[in-house]
Amino acid sequence: MLDRVEPQIQSDAMQQAPDIAVSFRNVEFSIDGKRLLHKLNCEIGKAGKTVIMGPNGAGKSIFLRMIAGLLKPESGEIFIPPNDSEQQRSADISIVFQNPVLLRRSVSANIAYVLKQQGHSKKTIARLVSEALVQAKLEDRAQMPARQLSGGEQQRLAMARALVMGSSILLLDEATANLDPASTFIVEEMVDVASRAGTKIIFITHDVRQAKRVGDDILFLHKGRILAHKPKDAFFKEPGSEEAQAYLDGRVIE
Amino acid sequence: MEEIGNAFLIAFDLLRSRDAALMEIVQLSLWVSIIAVAISCIIGFFIGAALSVYRFPGRKVIVVVINALMGLPPVVLGLIVYLLLSRSGPLGVLGLLYTPTAMIIAQILLITPLVSALCLQVLEEFNREYDEFFRSLRLTSLAKIKTLLWEARFGLLTVGLAGFGRAISEVGAVMIVGGNINHATRIMTTAIALETSKGTLALALALGIILIIFSIAVNAAVMALRSSSKVQVHA
């Protein structure tokens, strides 16, 4: 098991580009000798919501886990600017997985857990938990065992727990893939609120309509390579590659 | 055959009348086993949790040793504890041989590997499930251990009950280090062995029945725990 890898924080280049949330420089990654990411170079801006798209096996989840520090690049560097808030947080990047990982505790205790790890006082925890429950529309489920919630409610809880940490970057790995439209709507609403509050959102989705609805810029990955990274409108007007066009058309990509 | 039938009748009579000698033996058995299991759980849970979280050279060797110790014959362990606690042994000065404390020590050494191994098995499953979540929070190893122990609390209770089942039915080691002294170190299993060899089958049977009841009770408790609503909702 790997410990969380500390992404390299700040560089001269980053100081010169304060609007960058994440920067990949020649990042490569392999498993068992199979190259899964090929010399990735990209810069993801601090503002807005970046959608990562691409077919299965494109390397999207690996890309996201590298930003989260859960995987270490084989070569190259990932730069993440420092947290400029006054309070040093234990985790400046939060991640929500496709299958929510919930503790065997009540709904409110799940949210309180991450706040406790950050060292907040009991009073602050109670206040933040209450606010998070309202935002996730789970206030009437506060004392329920978290794992008894429906799939949509569980994901909303995972979202609330990630957001309550106050991280500057929130990563979502197909977080709405298994949700019904109502829960998807609530999650998107939460994403929107967080984005407006200044949280950088980077999320993976296969849902083209969702990408159009939520994203500000699209990063398209195919076979471990970035084929496009454009503002949303530009990407959907001109995907820039046959592979991206085929993906959007729902055709099989070779 | 008639003798056995009579023994059963006398055994039930002893149980019904809560015979003082019988109750004394049962109480000491429970006392020794509960203390031993409690201490074994503290040590075993710590070992199991540490092995599930920390990765270090030699970890696999330790796991193999713990698994091997689970199969250690109790009489051999009893002999080792006897040598340690005997007058000429390194701990002889403590004067613990033939005391309930010696029996507790022997049971702790016997049960701790079992508790550690089962705890490791339970926690590794939880650690796999929570690994990325923990790392995304940058938890310290100590915080991971604390969280895992709490998350696996129902599974660990089952581990504790398994340890108790092993302890209460143990005879070889406690016989050697306890000496089976009447009113001092006589417990159910050693008393059964003694009374059977003496031909006093009634007391032996009564104790046997109680042991079986304990065994059934422990298994029933494990099953009840697994199917309890509280466990189910946190599954």
Side-chain angles (χ1 to χ4, degrees):
Chain A
M1 253 177 284
L2 292 168
D3 277 333
R4 180 169 166 152
V5 181
E6 293 289 344
Q8 189 166 338
I9 306 295
Q10 205 169 27
S11 69
D12 292 344
M14 292 301 292
Q15 281 175 327
Q16 288 159 15
D19 294 335
I20 302 301
V22 181
S23 176
F24 276 56
R25 307 274 168 81
N26 297 319
V27 171
E28 293 189 307
F29 184 76
S30 304
I31 291 179
D32 296 332
K34 190 183 177 194
R35 182 61 50 87
L36 299 176
L37 296 183
H38 301 266
K39 281 203 183 295
L40 294 193
N41 285 288
C42 69
E43 287 182 339
I44 296 175
K46 259 186 181 170
K49 291 159 283 185
T50 299
V51 174
I52 301 168
M53 301 187 85
N56 293 329
K60 304 184 296 295
S61 291
I62 292 172
F63 184 85
L64 212 66
R65 276 166 172 72
M66 286 200 163
I67 297 172
L70 299 174
L71 289 174
K72 188 181 178 184
E74 187 182 320
S75 61
E77 290 166 319
I78 299 168
F79 295 108
I80 295 179
N83 176 10
D84 54 5
S85 73
E86 285 179 14
Q87 189 188 5
Q88 280 297 314
R89 296 181 177 117
S90 62
D92 201 36
I93 301 172
S94 299
I95 182 164
V96 178
F97 302 101
Q98 183 175 356
N99 297 314
V101 182
L102 299 178
L103 298 167
R104 286 155 172 83
R105 307 172 187 209
S106 70
V107 170
S108 56
N110 261 273
I111 300 172
Y113 176 81
V114 293
L115 294 168
K116 202 176 165 194
Q117 301 303 326
Q118 288 182 322
H120 291 287
S121 69
K122 278 187 178 174
K123 201 176 161 187
T124 309
I125 290 174
R127 180 176 57 78
L128 292 174
V129 167
S130 174
E131 287 171 9
L133 288 171
V134 170
Q135 202 194 353
K137 295 184 172 46
L138 290 170
E139 57 269 48
D140 57 338
R141 301 274 197 275
Q143 297 312 317
M144 255 184 87
R147 296 164 79 95
Q148 286 294 96
L149 296 174
S150 70
E153 289 170 335
Q154 287 195 12
Q155 195 60 291
R156 273 149 54 195
L157 172 57
M159 274 292 294
R161 193 178 58 186
L163 287 171
V164 82
M165 294 168 67
S167 306
S168 59
I169 300 175
L170 175 65
L171 309 171
L172 294 100
D173 187 359
E174 295 190 53
T176 59
N178 302 322
L179 306 191
D180 61 23
S183 287
T184 301
F185 176 77
I186 295 172
V187 169
E188 287 180 7
E189 206 176 53
M190 292 170 83
V191 164
D192 225 38
V193 170
S195 178
R196 282 202 301 272
T199 306
K200 172 66 195 179
I201 309 289
I202 303 174
F203 74 94
I204 296 175
T205 183
H206 282 293
D207 185 340
V208 175
R209 281 183 297 179
Q210 184 179 48
K212 284 180 179 171
R213 200 166 54 233
V214 180
D216 293 313
D217 58 311
I218 311 288
L219 192 148
F220 185 81
L221 275 167
H222 179 63
K223 291 184 178 175
R225 291 188 168 83
I226 297 171
L227 298 190
H229 185 196
K230 298 178 177 184
K232 173 177 68 179
D233 292 338
F235 177 78
F236 287 113
K237 194 176 172 191
E238 179 50 64
S241 66
E242 174 55 28
E243 289 86 349
Q245 186 62 60
Y247 177 82
L248 294 177
D249 294 344
R251 287 184 279 123
V252 177
I253 314 172
E254 289 304 320
Chain B
M1 194 66 196
E2 193 183 331
E3 196 185 346
I4 295 173
N6 279 338
F8 263 109
L9 288 175
I10 297 167
F12 280 114
D13 196 47
L14 284 170
L15 285 171
R16 191 183 49 76
S17 63
R18 295 187 180 181
D19 179 75
L22 182 78
M23 288 302 125
E24 186 189 346
I25 292 170
V26 171
Q27 279 172 12
L28 183 63
S29 296
L30 284 175
W31 168 250
V32 167
S33 295
I34 289 170
I35 297 288
V37 169
I39 296 171
S40 291
C41 282
I42 294 169
I43 301 167
F45 288 172
F46 175 77
I47 293 171
L51 286 171
S52 73
V53 167
Y54 291 104
R55 293 290 178 272
F56 53 90
R59 178 187 168 278
K60 279 187 179 168
V61 176
I62 293 175
V63 174
V64 168
V65 169
I66 287 172
N67 286 328
L69 286 175
M70 276 202 298
L72 189 70
V75 284
V76 175
L77 187 111
L79 180 63
I80 294 166
V81 177
Y82 178 89
L83 291 171
L84 289 171
L85 298 181
S86 64
R87 289 240 173 264
S88 55
L91 302 174
V93 67
L94 298 173
L96 293 175
L97 198 61
Y98 303 135
T99 66
T101 307
M103 295 155 77
I104 290 171
I105 292 170
Q107 287 204 347
I108 289 170
L109 293 174
L110 196 69
I111 307 161
T112 301
L114 175 79
V115 172
S116 306
L118 293 179
C119 174
L120 174 61
Q121 202 177 328
V122 171
L123 294 190
E124 274 195 324
E125 214 169 289
F126 279 79
N127 201 20
R128 265 194 294 277
E129 181 184 341
Y130 291 125
D131 177 48
E132 284 198 323
F133 173 61
F134 286 164
R135 286 195 289 130
S136 74
L137 293 177
R138 301 185 190 187
L139 289 192
T140 62
S141 296
L142 190 63
K144 281 184 198 174
I145 286 174
K146 278 163 72 177
T147 306
L148 284 173
L149 287 174
W150 179 251
E151 292 305 303
R153 57 198 178 277
F154 297 115
L156 294 179
L157 207 51
T158 309
V159 171
L161 286 171
F164 178 76
R166 178 91 168 91
I168 198 84
S169 59
E170 205 286 314
V171 57
V174 286
M175 179 81 95
I176 294 173
V177 301
N180 197 21
I181 301 165
N182 202 13
H183 305 301
T185 59
R186 185 160 298 169
I187 60 169
M188 286 193 283
T189 50
T190 58
I192 289 171
L194 177 71
E195 300 302 330
T196 306
S197 66
K198 279 162 55 184
T200 325
L201 293 183
L203 184 58
L205 264 177
L207 290 165
I209 291 167
I210 294 174
L211 256 184
I212 290 169
I213 291 170
F214 278 148
S215 173
I216 292 170
V218 167
N219 279 291
V222 171
M223 280 182 70
L225 191 64
R226 280 184 183 156
S227 59
S228 80
S229 57
K230 206 168 181 184
V231 175
Q232 291 299 322
V233 296
H234 286 292

